[in-house]
């Protein structure tokens, strides 16, 4: 069984869940995911690997409560266990020195780009992270993403934080203004 090491609500209805899973943490790479079952009767639900700590043997997931299975997971606390966790699965993203990499992320995708931003920065890229939410109170991982990026731009649909609009609008604006973006990754 896989123990929940820590859990916190990072935005309304959005939960950061850190799970002890040394075998998965050792092999995790940006862009991969896991399949989780809270208990033996739960459905198999895919979750993007948000982050991982090889030394601690943990993986971090962002969980948005949208149905019965995600509700079961968000109701668990630190010290509780999940029945099954399989991964890492999926084809990892190519991480190499591309030049300037723009990461456009919205809602659930904000968490999903954290590991990508760190890996791209470590590979020597200039990383521009653009996060989108409906309103200011739905932005999360601000300090983590700022530390992993050369530039962090926040947008909100209602204009209450950062620039009003969508993250992809910022990508378009940068390209229209002649800025070279060597790679754009959008999540969410």
């Amino acid at each position: 069984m896989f123990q929940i090491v820590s859990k916190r609500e990072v935005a309304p209805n959005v939960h950061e869940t850190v799970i002890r899973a040394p075998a998965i943490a050792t092999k995790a790479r940006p862009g991969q995911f896991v399949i989780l079952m809270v208990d033996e009767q739960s459905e198999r639900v895919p979750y993007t690997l948000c982050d991982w700590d090889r030394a601690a043997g943990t993986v971090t997931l962002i969980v948005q409560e949208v149905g019965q299975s995600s509700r079961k997971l968000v109701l668990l606390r630190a010290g509780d266990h999940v029945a099954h966790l399989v991964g890492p699965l999926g084809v990892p993203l190519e991480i190499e020195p591309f030049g300037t990499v723009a990461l456009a992320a919205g809602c659930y995708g904000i968490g999903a780009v954290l590991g990508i931003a760190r890996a791209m920065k470590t590979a020597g890229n200039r990383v521009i992270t653009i996060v989108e939410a409906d309103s200011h109170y739905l932005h999360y991982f601000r300090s983590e993403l700022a530390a992993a990026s050369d530039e962090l731009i926040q947008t909100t649909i209602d204009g209450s934080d950062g620039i009003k609009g969508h993250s992809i609008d910022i990508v378009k604006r940068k390209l229209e203004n002649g800025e070279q973006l060597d790679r754009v990754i959008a999540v969410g």
Side-chain angles (χ1 to χ4, degrees), residues 20-105:
R20 187 168 319 286
I24 296 171
T26 299
K27 296 179 181 179
R29 294 183 47 211
Q32 292 187 304
F33 67 98
V34 294
I35 300 282
L36 184 142
M37 289 178 67
V38 174
D39 57 41
E40 297 299 333
Q41 287 75 44
S42 297
E43 66 181 322
R44 297 166 30 99
V45 180
Y47 292 100
T48 301
L49 285 170
C50 167
D51 203 4
W52 49 91
D53 184 329
R54 288 180 174 88
T58 59
V59 296
T60 303
L61 312 176
I62 291 296
V63 179
Q64 187 172 16
E65 183 183 341
V66 293
Q68 182 178 1
S69 293
S70 58
R71 178 152 180 78
K72 281 183 180 182
L73 182 54
V74 301
L75 289 174
L76 296 178
R77 299 288 170 239
D80 291 339
H81 293 80
V82 298
H84 301 286
L85 188 65
V86 177
L89 302 168
V91 177
L93 285 172
E94 291 179 61
I95 305 295
E96 56 186 73
F98 296 108
T100 299
V101 176
L103 306 174

Side-chain angles (χ1 to χ4, degrees), residues 98-103 120 125-129 182-185:
F98 296 108
T100 299
V101 176
L103 306 174
M120 289 294 187
N125 293 290
R126 177 173 178 263
V127 177
I128 303 168
T129 303
D182 301 295
R183 179 74 43 125
V184 175
I185 299 169

